[in-house]
Amino acid sequence: FTLLGAYHLFQLFEKKSSYWKHTLLAGLFIGLSILSKGPVSFYALLLPFLIAYGIAYRYKGFKSKAFSMFSVLIIALVVGGWWYLYVRIEDPLTFLKVAQKETGNWSSYNVRPFYYYWSFFAQSGIWTIPAFIGLIYPYMIKRVKNKKAYKLTFYWTVFAVILLSIIPEKKSRYLMPVLIPLALVTGFYINYLIRNIKNLGSKLEMFPVYLNFILIAIIGLGFSVGGYIFLKDKANVNWLIFGLASVVLAFIGLSILVQLKKKRMKHLFYSVILFVVSAYVFVSPLSKHIKTNPQNPISELMDQTAAEDLKVYRLDYVSPEMIWQFGDELTSIKSNDSTFDFPSEAKFGILTKELSDEDKKKIDSDYTMEFRDTFDLNTVSPESKKYRSRLVNSFYVLTKK
């Protein structure tokens, strides 16, 4: 929605007439974005776009469109703000509590240093090298056809990273808005290569091209050997899928080398897209065999507890992934002020992330507590840096004394 809003804002800024359609659509899409994600997408995607547009295009003739811009703002606030206004009026205490918690998280939760996002271009995966080259402004600005458009996408990317870096709370997935203008920046570099690859005389200029596509070709050609070494001792491997993946990726890898030798950049570009699609179709089904942690899913717990006529509650934090896999809502029996509100059932189950000594004492005074199981949704071992304790919950059955 934000991207569509930015597109229609761009049309509004650029056109000298017949721009009221873009005024209405820009307001509508920005409003839908606010309705979906609150101020997040406005801050991380639309604001850096507006700053970048001012640098690249300088808002020429803006005075004549001031009323249109005011209209965009009003439409966006009406479309995007009605739900927040409704909740504020109907349930003000909850609204304020949630707002305070969310804004507090920005400055105190998952705090990372300012430079945490500086390797953002690596988030583009297989396009990392072209993305990095596309961000070398002095190199690219001399080679692109539409310099203003390149400036827009370059500064859009840079300011998106800067604005996200200012907020103390940081997570790698928050970089998603950056990948949109980064894809456009990368596209300028790919377009330049399509037009000029056969005329590139400098070895230095050709080096990243060869490095990028040869690495992809090596992955494709070497998948069968590397995959077999890794999977040979795994149980229940679908060797037919593995064989198809090996043949397809090897063929694409060989094709990349041939097209690289002939310097057919457009064919190389499409070959990489085909490589990604093929890896998703053929390699993804094999990914379950690379899990290093023996998962204990929670998906069967609801049927098991239903058979015992047990209702399941939660004591403290239970991750959304755990709730989703469980298949039903989990009401908390512990309030924010650490007081307990036990259900009326004489016997029930609880899921908990941590059970403190204080909580045990409070529970033991009225209930006998039986430990049943620990559910772990991590796909990596506990020693891994990617292991997340929030994906682990213990299950107890409480019986009234």
Side-chain angles (χ1 to χ4, degrees):
F1 288 140
T2 303
L3 187 62
L4 286 167
Y7 168 77
H8 286 289
L9 278 179
F10 183 86
Q11 297 296 323
L12 168 61
F13 294 156
E14 290 297 295
K15 285 187 175 181
K16 295 182 179 179
S17 60
S18 303
Y19 48 73
W20 269 100
K21 175 184 73 173
H22 301 296
T23 301
L24 296 173
L25 289 174
L28 172 65
F29 287 123
I30 294 170
L32 291 174
S33 175
I34 296 170
L35 200 58
S36 303
K37 289 292 291 180
V40 175
S41 53
F42 180 91
Y43 178 81
L45 191 61
L46 189 61
L47 181 57
F49 164 78
L50 294 172
I51 296 171
Y53 184 88
I55 295 173
Y57 291 85
R58 303 192 180 280
Y59 288 108
K60 294 179 180 178
F62 188 75
K63 287 183 179 180
S64 62
K65 299 174 183 178
F67 184 71
S68 293
M69 286 305 303
F70 178 74
S71 301
V72 169
L73 181 63
I74 296 300
I75 294 169
L77 289 175
V78 170
V79 173
W82 70 266
W83 171 250
Y84 301 97
L85 179 62
Y86 171 78
V87 177
R88 179 68 178 83
I89 294 171
E90 291 295 316
D91 194 358
L93 293 177
T94 303
F95 179 87
L96 292 173
K97 188 186 295 184
V98 171
Q100 288 170 0
K101 181 181 178 182
E102 289 300 317
T103 53
N105 282 348
W106 285 12
S107 60
S108 60
Y109 178 70
N110 214 53
V111 175
R112 295 288 186 271
F114 181 82
Y115 54 83
Y116 181 76
Y117 291 133
W118 287 7
S119 60
F120 66 93
F121 54 86
Q123 296 288 332
S124 54
I126 206 166
W127 300 103
T128 294
I129 295 175
F132 177 74
I133 301 299
L135 288 166
I136 304 177
Y137 184 86
Y139 172 79
M140 287 299 303
I141 197 63
K142 298 175 183 177
R143 290 164 173 79
V144 295
K145 279 188 172 182
N146 192 329
K147 297 187 186 306
K148 282 187 176 181
Y150 173 74
K151 283 183 179 180
L152 172 67
T153 58
F154 173 80
Y155 286 113
W156 189 359
T157 306
V158 169
F159 280 104
V161 175
I162 291 173
L163 289 174
L164 285 172
S165 297
I166 291 172
I167 300 173
E169 182 193 6
K170 296 178 180 67
K171 293 181 181 179
S172 57
R173 70 172 183 266
Y174 292 173
L175 275 174
M176 190 274 169
V178 179
L179 298 182
I180 295 173
L182 181 62
L184 298 172
V185 169
T186 308
F188 275 102
Y189 178 58
I190 297 296
N191 179 263
Y192 165 69
L193 292 178
I194 289 173
R195 291 184 288 106
N196 296 285
I197 191 168
K198 292 187 176 180
N199 300 320
L200 297 182
S202 169
K203 291 182 179 179
L204 181 63
E205 199 169 10
M206 280 300 298
F207 175 75
V209 181
Y210 282 120
L211 177 63
N212 183 69
F213 292 107
I214 288 175
L215 282 175
I216 297 171
I218 289 173
I219 294 171
L221 293 168
F223 173 80
S224 58
V225 177
Y228 176 75
I229 292 172
F230 190 84
L231 296 173
K232 64 179 180 177
D233 298 323
K234 305 289 184 180
N236 303 319
V237 176
N238 190 326
W239 292 108
L240 176 60
I241 295 293
F242 176 79
L244 285 171
S246 299
V247 171
V248 171
L249 295 183
F251 176 78
I252 297 174
L254 184 62
S255 173
I256 287 173
L257 291 177
V258 172
Q259 302 304 330
L260 184 60
K261 184 178 180 181
K262 294 180 179 181
K263 293 186 176 181
R264 294 177 176 174
M265 185 60 211
K266 188 176 288 188
H267 293 79
L268 284 168
F269 176 69
Y270 292 132
S271 294
V272 174
I273 294 175
L274 183 61
F275 182 92
V276 174
V277 173
S278 300
Y280 179 80
V281 172
F282 295 108
V283 180
S284 292
L286 301 170
S287 63
K288 61 184 179 182
H289 298 291
I290 66 174
K291 295 174 181 177
T292 57
N293 185 54
Q295 281 186 300
N296 185 19
I298 196 174
S299 51
E300 297 178 3
L301 179 62
M302 188 159 65
D303 291 336
Q304 293 170 0
T305 52
E308 296 182 55
D309 196 25
L310 283 177
K311 185 169 175 59
V312 182
Y313 298 86
R314 63 182 175 90
L315 182 63
D316 47 23
Y317 177 80
V318 176
S319 70
E321 296 94 329
M322 193 75 73
I323 296 172
W324 176 265
Q325 197 177 100
F326 175 71
D328 197 4
E329 63 178 331
L330 293 168
T331 304
S332 177
I333 64 172
K334 185 179 178 183
S335 63
N336 291 332
D337 60 359
S338 297
T339 58
F340 284 83
D341 183 16
F342 290 110
S344 58
E345 295 94 337
K347 188 176 181 180
F348 58 92
I350 61 165
L351 276 169
T352 177
K353 185 176 176 226
E354 295 177 1
L355 197 58
S356 67
D357 292 337
E358 184 180 350
D359 289 339
K360 284 181 182 179
K361 287 181 181 179
K362 289 181 180 179
I363 294 172
D364 284 340
S365 62
D366 295 306
Y367 295 88
T368 57
M369 189 164 56
E370 175 194 355
F371 171 75
R372 286 282 184 92
D373 206 348
T374 296
F375 299 101
D376 188 352
L377 303 188
N378 283 284
T379 59
V380 295
S381 66
E383 292 76 27
S384 171
K385 290 182 178 179
K386 293 184 179 180
Y387 189 85
R388 298 290 180 261
S389 61
R390 70 180 188 84
L391 297 177
V392 181
N393 284 105
S394 297
F395 178 62
Y396 296 86
V397 173
L398 275 60
T399 306
K400 190 80 172 178
K401 288 182 178 179

